[in-house]
Amino acid sequence: MARVYNFSAGPSMLPEEVLKKAAAEMLDYEGSGQSVMEMSHRSKVFESIIKSAEALLRELMDIPENYKVLFLQGGASTQFAAIPLNFMNGSGKADYIITGQWAKKAFAEAQKYGDAKAVASSADKTFSYIPKTTREDFRADADYVYICLNNTIYGTVYHQLPDTGDIPLIADISSCFLSEPLDISKFAMVYGGAQKNVAPAGLTIAIIREDMLGKARDITPTMLNYQIHADNDSLYNTPPCYTIYICKLVLDWIKSLGGLSAVAERNRKKAEILYNFLDNSKMFKGTVIAEDRSLMNVPFITGNEELDAKFVKEATAAGLVNIKGHRTVGGMRASIYNAMPIEGVEKLVEFMADFEKANS
Ligand SMILES: *Cc1c(COP(=O)(O)O)cnc(C)c1O
């Protein structure tokens, strides 16, 4: 069996242990005589799966009691509309920090529903940094401030959260979910699509402080109303059962590694190997300012488009796949999520060093 190292930004690698366990349980989940794919979402067996997934997530992320955990569908992109439809209902104002395409899309969606304002942006330098803000940058009566915590395309991350005072802070954590400990109490809501770090595509997890609920507009579609999903324990309609099951297996795996601090240490080690190489290479260079570098997504370039294309082609042939950068940045991007083993990053750096030698 020849498995590749998949550096895709998402969907991305899953831990091999998880895939093997899922394969072993495919035909008969714990003596139920059926696959999780086939069972009723109202069955006792599935109820225990979704309950364990929530309990494990609460334990690993240290989620405070007064937060709801919701298992949703529609991807992170659906939340771009759901967020204003649920929360932009006091002053009708919301402040957005534009750190890349995903924040921009969320902002554009919010503008349809009220007075959304872009209070800061790093568009001037192709989103290669996190703009600095102070409390005064935000409107005191804003219903919330919105950020994208880790910018998947551009490879930046907030190492320090913006100070929003009493204004609720909402963050898209799609591409850094479960990558390191996160103090949930600093947020009114965090959410993310599962397909980067948590599970296959099809599941979106939202963690929402209870006092935020119950403010949806009358016209908010039922399926976008967080209160409805909270009241029904994420079983208002058929949830993505199999994806929730894989999510539970991934959470078991994270626990077996020693939880989020152990995972964070592993992720820091991986990122350090790659950034160290980039900082010392004469051919390759990272595109993000050092202080805002992401642990999960690492864009880099040679400065020569032909050489970039050659690198991507040869890397693919060597089993290092999906390393082409986003079209707005060019070059390459290595997404090194939780499931990417350290050896994968070591192999990549070795390959880069050989490529540099052969082509300079
Ligand atoms: C991938 C991604 C999205 C889009 O997720 P979908 O589930 O495809 O809608 C949004 N935000 C961030 C930060 C992402 O990385």
Side-chain angles (χ1 to χ4, degrees), residues 7 9 152-153 297-300 322-326 331-335:
F7 293 90
T152 325
I153 295 173
N297 311 96
V298 184
F300 56 94
N322 291 323
I323 201 149
K324 192 175 189 299
H326 191 265
M332 285 66 69
R333 171 179 44 171
S335 294

Side-chain angles (χ1 to χ4, degrees), residues 298-315:
V298 184
F300 56 94
I301 52 170
T302 63
N304 173 335
E305 277 180 38
E306 264 169 50
L307 207 54
D308 287 348
K310 186 170 189 243
F311 177 84
V312 170
K313 195 167 162 225
E314 291 181 11

Side-chain angles (χ1 to χ4, degrees), residues 70 72 82 85-86 213-218 220-231:
L70 306 182
L72 307 169
L85 283 165
N86 279 273
L213 294 170
K215 299 175 191 166
R217 301 180 189 191
D218 295 340
T220 301
T222 305
M223 280 297 290
L224 298 192
N225 189 329
Y226 295 132
Q227 178 82 63
I228 299 279
H229 293 286
D231 290 346

Side-chain angles (χ1 to χ4, degrees), residues 74-78 80 102 148 150 152 172 174-175 193 195-196:
S77 301
T78 296
F80 297 168
W102 297 120
C148 181
N150 183 80
T152 325
D172 176 354
S174 295
S175 52
Q195 69 271 25
K196 276 68 188 235

Side-chain angles (χ1 to χ4, degrees), residues 148-162:
C148 181
L149 196 64
N150 183 80
N151 295 279
T152 325
I153 295 173
Y154 301 96
T156 60
V157 70
Y158 283 85
H159 288 295
Q160 204 164 8
L161 293 176

Side-chain angles (χ1 to χ4, degrees), residues 4-20:
V4 293
Y5 290 110
N6 178 7
F7 293 90
S8 171
S12 48
M13 294 181 79
L14 284 163
E16 224 166 272
E17 294 90 326
V18 166
L19 295 174
K20 282 184 178 149

